[in-house]
């Protein structure tokens, strides 16, 4: 953990993670803590500055969340965003009220006075687009604050107490809908907090290698490879740290993409020379999935069976003291959400709260401070081939969550072929890197079709492709009709068992991008 750190206090905003992304893009390390665990995080991190996030609550309610009062007495710079601005105002002697006129979506603020947050960005008298999302408003400022920007719906759109280095915005600078928001946050962490912005992935790599060596010592680590980016990067980083003390286990559960097992085994066993155990567990998983149609039951079965297989393999290789996982920072954040919200379901297949007691192993999670795109940067830093680093996210449960209803080997084989054709055409069109995630789904319905002179009754395949900058929100990729027609024709002609292809035009708000 770098010495120069920003602590983000989470009040439940669905875009709090984007604040962290903007801070790290400025070259500054940061962590997020829910408001009710913020004091412990403060003591652990010894931060150089604080950011208070937005949130769904109303400051006017007596039981609404607050920042620890000691934060305002610590002499550190503070940036309050939306709810964060409101609770800061209320806790410092100002007043917040409910207003009938709310402000949601695009708005334009007017810069009334100079402010360090605006350095190099906005000048007095100018008007700039921002993104608002609030009902309550600050109606009386605390002593020491001044107004530096206003909007039609927010008379205190940006406020500043320069002496104490406290700043507040009613708009959300972290979202892309505020064009200069990332630069404004960069001004806070660099110009106000005085941080250099020198946090790099090369530095993270060196620090993590040292951490892994200190944690593991001369003991053994077992790492489960899934074929995805996260576990691959974690394995290579751990191998760099402890060499032959690491053994990777690749569990082929029969739910992988076409040719994936051969790629994984070839890269890690032959290219990197990492000890690798290849477990063919397809029969075990397929038997266990028989009759299961509920998505959550499927996830839980796959997760539990993975743990059981790992446990068995650890015993076979002479006992491992640690289990390595590719846990990412969004998994950690959502698993400790103070709201107990939908992440409990969305992330249920991630083991982010420890292992079963019977396993008697510690956890090595070298990526748990990183976001997905940062993991890709680390992978390139480690020299992983682009075919692994740049591949689209693939869930731990594999094809099981892309087959609504019962999962069988036959249905997996059909989906594998359709998915491979879809991705091949995307690559051929030069679109793969422009898309965050693309995949095929085998729907639990059949349709009547006519192929040649015969009538068919076969499966419907759905195609999905989304763009995203952070993996939290997603929008559809706008394929042209000729591309979709070409893909559909190939799938229907080349995949026995599919006679119709549809495209999913659904955008996704914050939350899972996957199908089930």
């Amino acid at each position: 953990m770098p010495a120069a750190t920003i602590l983000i206090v989470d009040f439940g905003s669905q875009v709090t993670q984007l604040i962290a992304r903007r801070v790290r893009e400025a070259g500054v390390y940061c962590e997020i803590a829910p408001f009710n665990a913020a004091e412990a995080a403060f003591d652990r991190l010894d931060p150089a500055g604080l950011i208070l996030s937005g949130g769904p609550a109303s400051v006017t309610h007596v039981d609404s969340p607050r920042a620890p009062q000691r934060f305002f007495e610590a002499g550190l710079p503070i940036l309050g965003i939306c709810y964060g601005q409101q609770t800061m105002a209320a806790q410092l002697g100002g007043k917040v009220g409910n207003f009938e006129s709310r402000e949601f979506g695009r708005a334009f603020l007017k810069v009334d006075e100079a402010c360090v947050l605006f350095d190099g960005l906005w000048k007095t008298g100018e008007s700039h687009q921002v993104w608002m999302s609030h009902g309550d408003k600050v109606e009386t400022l605390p002593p020491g604050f001044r107004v530096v920007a206003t909007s039609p719906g927010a008379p205190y759109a940006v406020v500043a107490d320069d002496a104490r280095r406290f700043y507040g915005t009613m708009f959300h600078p972290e979202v892309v809908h505020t064009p200069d928001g990332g630069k404004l946050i960069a001004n806070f962490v660099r110009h106000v907090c005085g941080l250099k912005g020198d946090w790099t992935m090369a530095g993270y790599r060196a620090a993590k290698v040292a951490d892994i060596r200190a944690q593991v010592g001369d003991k053994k680590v077992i790492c489960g490879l899934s074929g995805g980016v996260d576990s691959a990067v974690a394995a290579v980083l751990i191998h760099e740290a402890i060499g032959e003390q690491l053994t990777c286990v690749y569990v082929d559960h029969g739910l992988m993409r076409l040719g994936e097992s051969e790629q994984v085994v070839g890269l890690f066993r032959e290219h990197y020379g990492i000890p690798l155990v290849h477990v063919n567990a397809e029969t075990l998983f397929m038997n266990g999935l028989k009759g299961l149609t509920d998505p959550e039951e499927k996830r839980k079965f796959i997760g539990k069976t993975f743990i059981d297989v790992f446990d068995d393999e650890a015993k076979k290789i002479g006992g491992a003291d640690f289990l390595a996982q590719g846990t990412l920072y969004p998994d950690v954040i959502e698993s400790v959400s103070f709201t107990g919200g939908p992440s409990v379901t969305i992330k249920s297949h991630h083991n982010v709260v420890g292992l079963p007691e019977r396993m008697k192993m510690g956890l090595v999670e070298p990526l748990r401070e990183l976001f997905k795109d940062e993991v890709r940067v680390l992978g390139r830093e480690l020299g992983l081939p682009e075919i692994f680093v740049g591949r689209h996210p693939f869930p731990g449960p594999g094809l099981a969550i892309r087959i609504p209803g019962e999962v069988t080997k036959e249905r997996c084989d059909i989906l594998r072929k359709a998915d491979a054709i879809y991705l091949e055409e995307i690559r051929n069109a030069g679109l793969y890197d422009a898309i965050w995630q693309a995949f095929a789904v085998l729907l639990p319905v059949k349709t009547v079709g006519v192929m040649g002179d015969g009538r068919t009754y076969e499966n419907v395949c759905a195609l999905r492709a989304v763009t995203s900058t952070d993996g939290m929100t997603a929008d559809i990729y706008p394929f042209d009709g000729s591309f979709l027609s070409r893909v559909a024709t190939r799938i229907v002609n080349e995949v026995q068992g599919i006679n119709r292809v549809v495209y999913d035009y659904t955008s996704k708000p914050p939350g899972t991008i996957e199908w089930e």
Side-chain angles (χ1 to χ4, degrees):
M1 180 187 67
T5 300
I6 296 293
L7 172 61
I8 300 167
V9 181
D10 182 16
F11 290 103
S13 168
Q14 60 183 351
V15 292
T16 298
Q17 292 184 34
L18 296 185
I19 302 174
R21 292 300 304 117
R22 302 293 91 83
V23 172
R24 292 191 183 184
E25 286 167 4
V28 174
Y29 183 75
C30 64
E31 290 190 17
I32 298 171
F35 77 93
N36 53 0
E39 286 201 81
F42 182 90
D43 294 334
R44 175 175 60 85
L45 294 172
D46 188 22
L50 300 163
I51 298 179
L52 311 181
S53 86
S58 172
V59 173
T60 62
H61 295 168
V62 294
D63 59 348
S64 58
R66 294 289 186 269
Q69 197 65 31
R70 60 180 281 215
F71 286 7
F72 300 109
E73 302 164 359
L76 295 176
I78 299 177
L79 172 63
I81 296 174
C82 197
Y83 184 92
Q85 184 208 55
Q86 295 169 14
T87 192
M88 177 167 62
Q91 290 181 246
L92 293 177
K95 184 178 179 182
V96 176
N98 297 121
F99 286 77
E100 290 185 4
S101 176
R102 300 176 297 174
E103 199 172 23
F104 292 96
R106 185 179 291 105
F108 290 86
L109 60 74
K110 179 177 175 292
V111 178
D112 297 310
E113 297 183 12
C115 176
V116 65
L117 296 182
F118 306 154
D119 285 355
L121 294 176
W122 300 340
K123 296 179 181 178
T124 302
E126 292 181 342
S127 179
H128 291 276
Q129 177 185 314
V130 296
W131 191 260
M132 294 284 190
S133 181
H134 65 93
D136 294 349
K137 300 177 186 176
V138 176
E139 56 184 25
T140 303
L141 285 176
F145 278 85
R146 64 189 177 99
V147 180
V148 295
T150 58
S151 77
Y156 303 116
V158 185
V159 299
D161 181 333
D162 302 288
R164 289 184 287 183
R165 298 181 295 171
F166 293 169
Y167 300 87
T169 72
M170 274 309 303
F171 65 91
H172 286 269
E174 68 271 31
V175 301
V176 296
H177 306 81
T178 299
D180 296 320
K183 296 176 182 177
L184 186 147
I185 291 176
N187 278 345
F188 174 73
V189 298
R190 290 186 177 181
H191 298 173
V192 179
C193 299
L195 303 181
K196 295 180 180 179
D198 55 1
W199 182 68
T200 65
M201 198 52 68
Y204 183 90
R205 172 186 179 179
K208 275 300 162 185
V209 166
D211 289 346
I212 293 166
R213 288 172 179 166
Q215 179 186 6
V216 173
D218 60 357
K219 296 178 180 178
K220 295 180 180 180
V221 178
I222 185 172
C223 177
L225 290 177
S226 68
V229 177
D230 308 334
S231 63
V233 172
V236 174
L237 180 63
I238 294 168
H239 184 254
E240 180 175 285
I242 61 174
E244 297 296 308
Q245 294 167 241
L246 170 69
T247 298
C248 288
V249 175
Y250 174 63
V251 178
D252 186 353
H253 49 23
L255 302 167
M256 307 305 294
R257 291 171 287 202
L258 191 66
E260 192 140 48
S261 295
E262 293 79 7
Q263 285 184 343
V264 171
V265 173
L267 177 69
F268 288 91
R269 185 181 285 168
E270 298 169 16
H271 180 76
Y272 279 102
I274 299 176
L276 174 66
V277 176
H278 181 192
V279 183
N280 188 343
E282 182 179 39
T283 300
L284 173 66
F285 279 85
M286 290 302 162
N287 287 340
L289 287 167
K290 283 182 180 178
L292 295 184
T293 58
D294 180 78
E296 196 63 17
E297 289 183 8
K298 289 190 288 186
R299 287 178 183 270
K300 289 179 178 178
F301 165 75
I302 293 168
K304 178 183 181 302
T305 306
F306 253 105
I307 293 293
D308 291 342
V309 172
F310 285 143
D311 197 16
D312 291 342
E313 292 304 320
K315 294 172 182 175
K316 291 178 185 177
I317 65 174
D321 302 283
F322 293 94
L323 173 65
Q325 293 189 155
T327 305
L328 302 190
Y329 196 40
D331 304 331
V332 176
I333 296 168
E334 293 177 9
S335 72
V336 298
S337 170
F338 68 86
T339 61
S343 64
V344 173
T345 299
I346 293 169
K347 296 295 180 183
S348 60
H349 61 287
H350 286 289
N351 183 29
V352 292
V353 291
L355 297 171
E357 286 187 21
R358 62 179 174 78
M359 292 194 69
K360 307 298 182 185
M361 287 194 285
L363 278 173
V364 179
E365 298 175 305
L367 310 181
R368 67 182 284 124
E369 292 91 8
L370 299 183
F371 290 92
K372 188 76 172 188
D373 57 329
E374 293 172 327
V375 173
R376 298 188 196 280
V377 175
L378 178 57
R380 294 184 179 101
E381 172 75 24
L382 291 164
L384 269 163
E386 193 63 29
I387 192 171
F388 273 88
V389 176
R391 72 174 35 175
H392 293 173
F394 189 61
L399 299 181
I401 61 170
R402 296 175 183 177
I403 302 178
E406 186 176 14
V407 177
T408 65
K409 185 180 187 308
E410 178 188 13
R411 292 179 66 76
C412 287
D413 289 339
I414 292 172
L415 180 57
R416 251 188 291 272
K417 294 175 184 177
D419 190 68
I421 291 171
Y422 183 34
L423 294 180
E424 180 184 341
E425 287 294 335
I426 288 175
R427 290 186 184 278
N428 290 344
L431 300 175
Y432 190 85
D433 292 337
I435 296 170
W436 169 266
Q437 187 182 50
F439 55 86
V441 176
L442 195 63
L443 299 181
V445 294
K446 289 188 175 184
T447 63
V448 175
V450 176
M451 299 177 69
D453 296 323
R455 185 183 296 272
T456 63
Y457 182 62
E458 294 179 339
N459 298 282
V460 178
C461 173
L463 305 179
R464 179 155 174 73
V466 295
T467 58
S468 179
T469 57
D470 47 59
M472 290 180 58
T473 59
D475 200 359
I476 59 167
Y477 186 83
F479 289 123
D480 59 42
S482 62
F483 174 86
L484 292 174
S485 177
R486 184 167 64 250
V487 174
T489 299
R490 280 198 61 191
I491 290 174
V492 170
N493 285 342
E494 298 176 32
V495 182
Q496 190 73 30
I498 293 176
N499 69 357
R500 186 159 310 206
V501 176
V502 297
Y503 185 60
D504 176 11
Y505 285 95
T506 308
S507 299
K508 283 285 184 181
T512 179
I513 295 176
E514 282 298 340
W515 189 272
E516 287 193 345

